[in-house]
Amino acid sequence: MKEMNGAEVLIKCLEDLGVKHIFGYTGAAILPVFHALRHSDIEIIVNSNEQSAAFSAAGYSRSSNRVGVAIVTSGPAITNTLTSVADAYGDSIPMLVFAGQVPEHKIGTDSFQHINVRGIFRDAAKKVIQLSNGDDIETIIKDAYYFAKSGKPGPVVIDFPLDKQMKNHEYHGIDVKRFEGSYHDDRHLSESHCENFFRGGLNSESGSQAVREFNELFGIPSVNTLMAKGVVDERHDLNLGMLGMFGTPYANMLIQENDLFFAIGVRWDDRVAEKVGFAIGTDIAYIDINPEKMHQIKIERSPKFTFIGDAATALRDLLNYARKHNIRLDIREWQIRARYLKKSWPLNYNRSSEYIQAAKVISMLANHVDESTKITTGVGNHQMLAAQYLSMQCPKSFMTSGSFGTMGFSLPTAIGVHYANPHSGVIAIDGDGSLRMNLGELHTIASLDLPIKILMLNNRSDGMVQNLQDAAYEGVRTGTQRPKDVNFAEIARSFGFSYAERVSNRNDLNVKMEAFIDAEGPCFLEACTDREEVLYPKVPAGGSYKDMILGPYIKST
């Protein structure tokens, strides 16, 4: 047992938990914690703002099996992280956010930089903890780490008063396995449960392997949501890619014809589920770790088979049962149909335009994406094009803001992804609207000399919203266009990027793309794309998949 101040206890706990990197921004109410880091091997990465620090921590989690950690100061610093915390909560991403706070006796007063953290984050985080002088810091922090990962993962926000950081506490060095084991899920499918299944978002490495084994045994055609890209190798001829409002034409076509939908860890959000024909007359089998979501779906869709628990465990139980009883499926006609649709309705775009098409840029990038590549995106048309055209091969390789749709996501997330995967190539795809929202991370990337490649599609507008305006408001584009062109490549160059180029002539695109891919260090390629390009296919608001609009370029081959 040792005696140390609360800030030192926090750092020692993080060391015991195996934390190697922290993302953050300093300030008066968190100075004791930053000072305690001086004797630690934990590396602190200082972002351009607190929102970015939390996005980087979440990116660390999204792309690995570890929990990202963000540490910020009080008041505006912690409220700056609110969007990132809510984004992680929506996408079930584990994360720890520590915030400095005014001394405990000043909580609830009109003290400088005081904010009611518990009240503000209550509905945006998995859990909010306000440390008090009587609390055991070590137990709370070590438990919070594994609680964030358990069940339906999510962010935990810990409010750390300044006086508690400075006060001495006893540190017992409790083995972290005690906390890890307390959240172990022992639930399995019974024999009868497996029998019932065969009678009638998930994005983890173990879950992905189980899904792949299940598909390999039965040869079942698959589709994926935006958040599940890479769970199944998208190069496989029986994987039809992303389903949804901007899904691939063949995925959206196939889903209208199936008679059994096996949903694993999906969120059933409105851009997917509300447009699906199977919601009316198709049998559903559903596995999820979230009891609240299961309750909702049981009421709304009356699934024939359900299991609340770890998807990887459930799938392995089903696999073991199928092998034990030599169960096989004869679905050759369905497999032929899936392959036919995928081959006959390829994605396409305006190949004759004099302007660079964003779809062309992403399809060209697809030639350079392999098993080791990690992709992050902003939010908008470029995000959906990346989801359509990039065939991801591994889980945790495509990081995007799904539930919350947060612009400004790509650059700070890419920083976290790099630190979690230092030997992988990281490519951040962004639009000009999204990139401007966390432009300061260009400085972070350049100043730390991070080998992150940024591909920016600049159409001088908010393209996705502009497309919606054209459809719903007769082409009146209020607030979505930027009349003055800005050379973002010059901005990146001024920050110190080793490669920063701009391309506006489509004949130069191939050369610039090759140079961008081959360059080392922080790299930035700005492609000036067609402002009038429209994202296809799309399912209109209020429509179903049978109402899918293919546009003028997607045709049967």
Side-chain angles (χ1 to χ4, degrees):
M1 182 178 67
K2 297 180 181 179
E3 191 170 90
M4 54 186 75
N5 68 32
E8 293 168 333
V9 171
L10 166 58
I11 300 307
K12 190 67 174 69
C13 286
L14 296 179
E15 289 175 344
D16 288 351
L17 289 163
V19 172
K20 302 297 182 185
H21 303 94
I22 292 172
F23 303 88
Y25 206 99
T26 190
I30 200 67
L31 274 180
V33 173
F34 274 72
H35 189 64
L37 279 166
R38 74 194 189 281
H39 296 309
S40 175
D41 291 332
I42 297 175
E43 182 178 359
I44 176 73
I45 295 92
V46 179
N47 294 80
S48 62
N49 59 60
E50 295 87 1
Q51 184 194 87
S52 289
F55 270 138
S56 291
Y60 197 90
S61 298
R62 286 175 185 264
S63 61
S64 70
N65 292 320
R66 289 162 283 173
V67 176
V69 179
I71 298 181
V72 302
T73 193
S74 60
I78 182 60
T79 58
N80 280 351
T81 72
L82 178 60
T83 297
S84 307
V85 170
D87 185 275
Y89 185 57
D91 286 345
S92 301
I93 305 301
M95 176 170 61
L96 294 182
V97 178
F98 294 91
Q101 179 59 282
V102 300
E104 190 169 10
H105 68 277
K106 290 187 176 182
I107 292 176
T109 70
D110 197 19
S111 185
F112 177 67
Q113 289 193 337
H114 168 255
I115 195 74
N116 182 348
V117 172
R118 180 176 290 167
I120 288 176
F121 284 82
R122 179 179 54 202
D123 296 326
K126 184 175 181 179
K127 190 174 185 179
V128 183
I129 301 168
Q130 185 174 81
L131 292 174
S132 179
N133 274 324
D135 290 336
D136 180 351
I137 298 176
E138 179 183 0
T139 296
I140 288 173
I141 292 173
K142 289 180 177 178
D143 182 73
Y145 183 94
Y146 292 105
F147 176 77
K149 296 178 68 174
S150 68
K152 181 183 184 295
V156 176
V157 177
I158 299 178
D159 202 24
F160 204 166
L162 181 59
D163 56 331
K164 190 160 181 64
Q165 296 176 44
M166 301 172 70
K167 180 183 176 182
N168 281 352
H169 302 266
E170 293 180 347
Y171 185 78
H172 297 277
I174 306 170
D175 192 336
V176 297
K177 290 181 180 179
R178 178 190 300 182
F179 303 95
E180 181 180 20
S182 69
Y183 291 107
H184 183 69
D185 190 340
D186 293 320
R187 286 170 292 181
H188 285 266
L189 286 169
S190 66
E191 283 268 320
S192 61
H193 214 170
C194 292
E195 181 183 359
N196 288 338
F197 173 85
F198 286 108
R199 191 184 303 159
L202 176 76
N203 199 344
S204 67
E205 291 176 359
S206 61
S208 173
Q209 184 60 35
V211 169
R212 293 179 186 216
E213 287 183 30
F214 193 86
N215 277 11
E216 184 179 345
L217 181 62
F218 294 111
I220 301 174
S222 63
V223 296
N224 56 263
T225 62
L226 174 66
M227 299 307 297
K229 281 184 67 65
V231 169
V232 175
D233 189 339
E234 294 182 62
R235 299 170 302 174
H236 197 287
D237 61 350
L238 287 178
N239 176 266
L240 281 76
M242 185 177 70
L243 179 73
M245 185 174 183
F246 298 107
T248 63
Y250 30 88
N252 288 352
M253 289 175 179
L254 188 72
I255 203 66
Q256 299 176 58
E257 303 177 16
N258 77 301
D259 56 8
L260 172 65
F261 190 79
F262 186 14
I264 306 169
V266 299
R267 195 167 50 85
W268 305 85
D269 81 287
D270 58 302
R271 293 202 168 192
V272 175
E274 296 304 317
K275 307 178 185 309
V276 183
F278 71 74
I280 300 172
T282 298
D283 288 341
I284 296 171
Y286 180 39
I287 294 175
D288 203 303
I289 203 164
N290 182 3
E292 292 181 6
K293 179 61 67 173
M294 183 64 74
H295 175 73
Q296 172 195 335
I297 299 307
K298 281 185 175 181
I299 292 175
E300 292 180 356
R301 308 190 187 276
S302 301
K304 296 293 181 68
F305 173 93
T306 61
F307 176 71
I308 300 174
D310 180 68
T313 300
L315 284 168
R316 295 205 181 281
D317 289 342
L318 290 171
L319 278 167
N320 291 336
Y321 181 89
R323 288 166 177 154
K324 176 181 177 181
H325 296 278
N326 196 29
I327 294 174
R328 293 290 185 269
L329 296 178
D330 185 2
I331 53 172
R332 284 171 290 181
E333 291 185 7
W334 185 234
Q335 294 167 337
I336 291 170
R337 179 63 175 163
R339 292 187 178 103
Y340 169 79
L341 288 176
K342 186 171 183 178
K343 183 178 180 180
S344 300
W345 292 94
L347 293 161
N348 208 349
Y349 54 88
N350 184 1
R351 296 177 183 271
S352 61
S353 173
E354 62 179 301
Y355 303 108
I356 295 175
Q357 301 297 294
K360 171 64 175 176
V361 180
I362 300 298
S363 65
M364 189 177 288
L365 176 68
N367 297 323
H368 303 282
V369 172
D370 59 25
E371 292 184 357
S372 66
T373 307
K374 305 290 185 181
I375 299 289
T376 70
T377 81
V379 170
N381 281 354
H382 71 276
Q383 174 193 30
M384 295 296 104
L385 288 168
Q388 290 176 351
Y389 281 91
L390 301 183
S391 296
M392 307 311 296
Q393 303 164 34
C394 301
K396 296 183 177 293
S397 60
F398 189 89
M399 276 58 68
T400 194
S401 175
S403 173
F404 220 46
T406 311
M407 296 175 72
F409 177 93
S410 186
L411 295 193
T413 300
I415 293 171
V417 171
H418 163 73
Y419 279 99
N421 307 271
H423 302 298
S424 295
V426 180
I427 302 175
I429 304 171
D430 227 337
D432 53 302
S434 277
L435 186 137
R436 286 185 308 126
M437 292 196 177
N438 271 317
L439 185 68
E441 293 314 289
L442 289 178
H443 178 266
T444 306
I445 291 169
S447 64
L448 296 175
D449 198 31
L450 305 181
I452 294 173
K453 296 182 184 296
I454 301 168
L455 176 61
M456 176 187 170
L457 305 180
N458 184 2
N459 64 357
R460 305 166 308 287
S461 68
D462 295 317
M464 179 173 283
V465 182
Q466 178 179 285
N467 291 167
L468 294 173
Q469 285 178 325
D470 290 348
Y473 297 96
E474 299 177 343
V476 178
R477 299 171 173 177
T478 305
T480 49
Q481 293 193 346
R482 286 171 279 282
K484 185 174 181 180
D485 190 17
V486 174
N487 191 317
F488 287 89
E490 285 187 358
I491 296 174
R493 193 175 300 116
S494 72
F495 277 130
F497 272 66
S498 56
Y499 177 94
E501 294 291 335
R502 189 181 219 223
V503 55
S504 56
N505 187 321
R506 72 174 200 165
N507 295 324
D508 298 330
L509 182 58
N510 187 57
V511 172
K512 289 289 179 71
M513 179 66 77
E514 293 290 340
F516 168 70
I517 294 298
D518 291 341
E520 297 181 354
C523 300
F524 188 96
L525 179 61
E526 176 186 5
C528 300
T529 61
D530 185 0
R531 179 182 279 177
E532 300 304 318
E533 183 178 2
V534 180
L535 174 64
Y536 291 109
K538 61 181 177 181
V539 179
S544 64
Y545 286 138
K546 63 181 176 58
D547 304 311
M548 178 172 57
I549 301 171
L550 295 174
Y553 309 110
I554 298 175
K555 302 179 186 297
S556 176
T557 59

